[in-house]
Amino acid sequence: MTEKLTARGIVQEEPLLWEKSKPGKTGFSMPRRDVDACALDEALQGEGPDFPNLSEVEVIRHFTRLSQWNFGLDTGMYPLGSCTMKYNPKINDRQAGLSGFASAHPLAPQHVSQGALRLLVELEQFLCEITGMHAASLQPAAGAHGELAGMMIFNAFHQSKGVQRTKILIPDTAHGTNPASAALCGFKSIPVRSGEDGILTPELVAELMDEDTAGIMITNPNTLGLYEENLKEIADIIHGKGGLVYADGANMNAIMGVVRPGQIGVDVMHLNLHKTFSTPHGGGGPGAGPVLVREHLARFLPTPRPEKQGDHYVLSDACPDSIGRMHAFYGNFGILVRAYSYILSMGSEGLKNASRYAVLNANYIKEKLKDTYFLPYDKPCMHECVFSDQLQKESHATTLDIAKRLIDYGFHPPTIYFPLIVSGAIMIEPTETESKEDIDRFILAMQTIAAEIQADPDRLHEAPQFTKVRRLDEVRAARNPCLTGC
Ligand SMILES: *Cc1c(COP(=O)(O)O)cnc(C)c1O
């Protein structure tokens, strides 16, 4: 007879380090001092910071266990809409870790930083090539930071014409950071309703655009995952009244190598290198949100600007109309190395294919699930698709229940209750890097959950069932955070 000793795993409870602390434990051992104690030691007796007392292995296990509770892209699928949580090839991390890059000092003289400067110049050129824009600054540290730089450029442009425009048009399908960035620059946001089919109509834009409006900020593809098909016509309307067109390009993952925003009337845009160009994100940074402009706006870009002069690379401050510096030194350099490495390793056909697969995967999910979940905009989508809980409402199961139950099936929940124009939205972005097998498993999990709702909706309120902590009171956690394990 063969004995089987199987285990489902070890799930450790993990108290706080302070709760595990015992006086006298230490993580090191040093020889006893061979000099007499002096006054300083005595003065500090019993004082100083309240560090827990633990051995080295206790500290190592504590942090390693916590890291194992984490869920990330290296663990499983993370279909977060409007965020492009895609897998990033490790080769690009490796390049950023090369000592010539990782140890480069921002204050090193330019003649010993030629490689780093060349990378900046060439990355700007690659991003311009991909977007059809004329010039770029890699300084902004996030998408929202790129938007802020873009809005400052809008302002500088209008001021150079001797006027101060006060308003800006922002569609209801824009990302939430857009109105915030515009407000930081003193613009008043004028909301634009999207049409029946989820995209902007030129007629409404024409009605709202006037000579006091600086321009429009369009998220394209928009947060419904739809392509703004009328963008060119809308750009003509905006330009006709002396305004500028801003494109939020954080969702470039859907159109890389397929659409060049610079050729369809976009004047200023940003990219999220930490979404599209191979920097992991979700942990809050660091990131990079380069801002790109058409030719007539290049003089307003942040300084210093990396340039090639003869056969040398320099950082140039010779740009009197610049909006100034957006970041210390030259942005988050390690992120820029990853993007450079990603673009070169993918090549133009590879980048194009990444977008094609991202769009194909989202449409596959949309088609497979549209009989199970309500699809408010039933038309081809870009990199993400938006469902809602409308069909589950009569069973009193909600989007939140569905999202929580997905955790039990091993998936990170998608974005929920966003975009706001879809009540109970479930916004799914599979990205190009998920295999058909994983996407099919995700679809099966979503179908299984819908069947569970029909059979026993109350059980869904209990989800997640297989996690260390069950459903959290998120409002209380936000209002009364308790950081000591109480
Ligand atoms: C993520 C995102 C942003 C904001 O980018 P951050 O780097 O988080 O500031 C802006 N717009 C869109 C469409 C996004 O998806």
Side-chain angles (χ1 to χ4, degrees):
M1 194 187 102
T2 47
E3 215 90 4
K4 264 204 204 151
L5 196 63
T6 55
R8 287 237 153 194
I10 302 171
V11 181
Q12 306 279 1
E13 289 300 337
E14 197 56 33
L16 299 179
L17 285 178
W18 280 269
E19 292 165 345
K20 298 173 85 164
S21 169
K22 284 242 174 74
K25 285 193 178 184
T26 63
F28 57 86
S29 48
M30 295 218 295
R32 249 191 90 70
R33 65 165 183 263
D34 56 0
V35 294
D36 291 337
C38 71
L40 188 60
D41 288 346
E42 280 151 28
L44 281 178
Q45 278 297 318
E47 307 236 346
D50 169 32
F51 287 134
N53 296 296
L54 293 156
S55 70
E56 176 176 318
V57 67
E58 284 171 322
V59 175
I60 292 295
R61 284 187 183 151
H62 175 76
F63 286 108
T64 306
R65 284 174 190 160
L66 290 186
S67 76
Q68 287 168 346
W69 294 1
N70 219 345
F71 186 93
L73 270 160
D74 290 355
T75 331
M77 189 169 162
Y78 209 127
L80 216 58
S82 194
C83 260
T84 308
M85 300 293 288
K86 67 180 184 180
Y87 176 79
N88 300 293
K90 298 291 176 231
I91 180 85
N92 305 316
D93 275 340
R94 198 148 167 206
Q95 310 289 7
L98 291 175
S99 70
F101 289 132
S103 314
H105 196 285
L107 289 178
Q110 294 184 6
H111 73 271
V112 297
S113 308
Q114 288 296 297
L117 291 172
R118 177 177 161 194
L119 183 144
L120 298 178
V121 169
E122 291 185 0
L123 179 58
E124 285 186 2
Q125 286 167 354
F126 294 161
L127 297 178
C128 286
E129 170 76 21
I130 291 168
T131 55
M133 304 299 282
H134 175 80
S137 169
L138 307 171
Q139 279 187 36
H145 201 200
E147 292 167 24
L148 178 64
M151 287 301 99
M152 290 169 74
I153 291 169
F154 268 40
N155 224 2
F157 167 80
H158 289 299
Q159 278 178 351
S160 77
K161 303 231 173 283
V163 288
Q164 182 79 49
R165 297 198 176 193
T166 62
K167 297 184 292 184
I168 189 136
L169 304 183
I170 303 197
D172 54 8
T173 51
H175 193 269
T177 46
N178 291 190
S181 303
L184 273 179
C185 268
F187 291 121
K188 180 172 185 302
S189 303
I190 306 296
V192 190
R193 244 180 319 107
S194 41
E196 298 268 286
D197 54 354
I199 60 171
L200 286 174
T201 54
E203 295 73 35
L204 190 54
V205 173
E207 232 171 78
L208 295 169
M209 181 64 196
D210 62 22
E211 314 260 321
D212 189 29
T213 302
I216 192 166
M217 279 184 105
I218 300 184
T219 301
N220 190 35
N222 67 27
T223 56
L224 288 169
L226 302 177
Y227 187 78
E228 290 291 351
E229 288 165 31
N230 304 317
L231 197 120
K232 188 146 187 352
E233 208 179 319
I234 289 168
D236 290 342
I237 295 166
I238 301 289
H239 292 145
K241 292 264 168 72
L244 294 174
V245 177
Y246 187 93
D248 178 332
N251 293 338
M252 195 70 190
N253 209 52
I255 56 172
M256 257 187 314
V258 181
V259 178
R260 300 172 90 209
Q263 289 176 348
I264 49 172
V266 169
D267 299 296
V268 186
M269 69 179 294
H270 79 267
L271 296 170
N272 275 32
L273 300 190
H274 49 289
K275 288 182 183 168
T276 314
F277 295 96
S278 197
T279 283
H281 91 289
V291 61
L292 301 105
V293 295
R294 291 244 302 271
E295 189 160 9
H296 64 299
L297 300 171
R299 64 192 175 111
F300 303 117
L301 280 173
T303 50
R305 296 192 51 198
E307 273 172 21
K308 188 169 187 194
Q309 289 179 0
D311 53 4
H312 266 78
Y313 294 90
V314 297
L315 279 177
S316 166
D317 277 308
C319 198
D321 299 325
S322 163
I323 57 167
R325 195 180 256 293
M326 292 300 290
H327 196 284
F329 303 115
Y330 202 78
N332 286 329
F333 184 66
I335 312 304
L336 308 178
V337 179
R338 286 173 176 83
Y340 182 82
S341 167
Y342 180 68
I343 292 169
L344 283 181
S345 58
M346 294 289 279
S348 57
E349 204 49 32
L351 291 179
K352 213 180 267 189
N353 277 339
S355 285
R356 287 174 177 149
Y357 287 129
V359 170
L360 180 66
N361 289 349
N363 278 285
Y364 179 69
I365 290 179
K366 171 175 71 66
E367 289 303 310
K368 288 278 182 181
L369 286 180
K370 76 180 191 188
D371 297 331
T372 314
Y373 292 94
F374 181 66
L375 181 71
Y377 299 94
D378 189 0
K379 58 191 272 193
C381 64
M382 301 302 289
H383 58 307
E384 58 199 5
C385 53
V386 181
F387 294 98
S388 84
D389 57 2
Q390 197 165 308
L391 301 182
Q392 282 69 32
K393 276 238 172 80
E394 61 190 44
S395 309
H396 302 291
T398 64
T399 289
L400 185 67
D401 296 325
I402 297 162
K404 295 292 183 192
R405 186 65 173 149
L406 267 174
I407 299 173
D408 283 334
Y409 290 112
F411 293 98
H412 193 286
T415 298
I416 55 172
Y417 299 107
F418 182 86
L420 301 177
I421 57 172
V422 173
S423 162
I426 306 171
M427 189 191 200
I428 300 165
E429 180 181 359
T431 78
E432 72 277 12
T433 44
E434 296 306 325
S435 66
K436 176 156 185 304
E437 291 74 23
D438 278 335
I439 292 176
D440 281 336
R441 256 190 291 278
F442 175 78
I443 291 167
L444 180 64
M446 288 292 282
Q447 288 166 338
T448 306
I449 293 168
E452 286 174 344
I453 291 172
Q454 287 208 319
D456 184 2
D458 287 341
R459 230 184 98 211
L460 259 276
H461 305 320
E462 308 273 300
Q465 294 175 356
F466 307 136
T467 46
K468 185 172 281 294
V469 287
R470 303 288 292 277
R471 194 164 310 190
L472 299 173
D473 182 344
E474 287 164 8
V475 175
R476 200 163 138 232
R479 295 289 146 82
N480 299 311
C482 171
L483 307 177
T484 54
C486 52

